[in-house]
Amino acid sequence: MRRATGTYRALVALLRTIALVLIVVAASGCGGLASLRGMPTIAPLISATFLSVHLFVGDGGDAQERARLPELRDSIAGALPTAWSVATRGRGKLALRTDADIDVKLDGTSGTSALMQHKLGGRVVSQTITVHSVEGSRRLTLPELMATTLHELGHIWCCFGSGTQDGHWSDTPPSFSSVGMMYSPMTCQVAAGSDPVCPTVFSDRELAEMGLNGP
Ligand SMILES: [Zn+2]
């Protein structure tokens, strides 16, 4: 019993230390599904099981950001296939190619990242994602941009219906969780002197919306 109490005290002390070092920041605000509210006009034809992405750099941004973007693009492109596999718990594959299921533009201006749907006669004819690398005056880090990219890709399928608002779950958790990518804003954890830690895995209900709830 004494031993258990000692362990508990040590744990409390450890948690207090962590609480002092860590601050939780809300990063990567997302506009959700621009030009879409409620139910999808048509069922998305893109498969989360085999997803191809065209990731490219836009024209916008100041000189410092335009200098940073090509390297960021290469880093995101290099990490995205594995990140997608991890996020989908091994159920989805992702490939980078020029002629892809979806275009993702890395934009060096400040703005709200979003999936945009382009409609013709009420039908969705194409979808594009814009990921902004700057939020206000803050230049986003690679972990934040990875989480934002996964989040925006998730919007191809998620989330609609009860418990959601503008494409996001309305029951945003009060603290950081690495599981669950479809909240707004997304919460990343920042420790002094190191890169933010952001959500990396889709939750069960997200995977279900993406058609990836099988074993
Ligand atoms: Zn969103």
Side-chain angles (χ1 to χ4, degrees), residues 30-32 151-152 155 167-168 182-184:
C30 168
H151 173 102
E152 298 305 337
H155 272 313
H168 304 115
M182 300 309 292
Y183 298 106
S184 183

Side-chain angles (χ1 to χ4, degrees), residues 22-71:
L22 297 179
I23 50 168
V24 175
V25 296
S28 314
C30 168
L33 300 152
S35 85
L36 177 73
R37 294 292 180 265
M39 295 299 288
T41 313
I42 55 160
L45 300 173
I46 302 174
S47 165
T49 310
F50 297 100
L51 177 64
S52 60
V53 172
H54 177 215
L55 180 65
F56 60 99
V57 171
D59 300 330
D62 59 22
Q64 187 181 340
E65 203 59 15
R66 284 206 309 276
R68 196 172 78 110
L69 285 182
E71 197 176 324

Side-chain angles (χ1 to χ4, degrees), residues 8 14 31 71 76 87 108 111 124 131 135 139 142 152 155 161-162 179 189:
Y8 174 74
L14 178 66
E71 197 176 324
I76 296 169
V124 177
V131 172
E135 204 173 72
R139 296 174 200 277
L142 182 60
E152 298 305 337
H155 272 313
S162 68
V179 178
Q189 220 172 20

Side-chain angles (χ1 to χ4, degrees), residues 111-166:
T112 303
S113 299
L115 168 73
M116 279 160 288
Q117 299 195 322
H118 311 285
K119 294 180 185 175
L120 198 65
R123 282 189 64 236
V124 177
V125 289
S126 68
Q127 304 182 99
T128 54
I129 288 169
T130 302
V131 172
H132 289 272
S133 62
V134 181
E135 204 173 72
S137 59
R138 203 167 70 84
R139 296 174 200 277
L140 298 179
T141 60
L142 182 60
E144 291 169 299
L145 292 169
M146 287 301 299
T148 302
T149 304
L150 292 171
H151 173 102
E152 298 305 337
L153 288 172
H155 272 313
I156 298 172
W157 309 274
C158 190
C159 315
F160 304 97
S162 68
T164 68
Q165 190 177 4
D166 297 339

Side-chain angles (χ1 to χ4, degrees), residues 71-88:
E71 197 176 324
L72 273 179
R73 193 222 77 93
D74 290 350
S75 299
I76 296 169
L80 203 51
T82 300
W84 187 253
S85 176
V86 169
T88 60

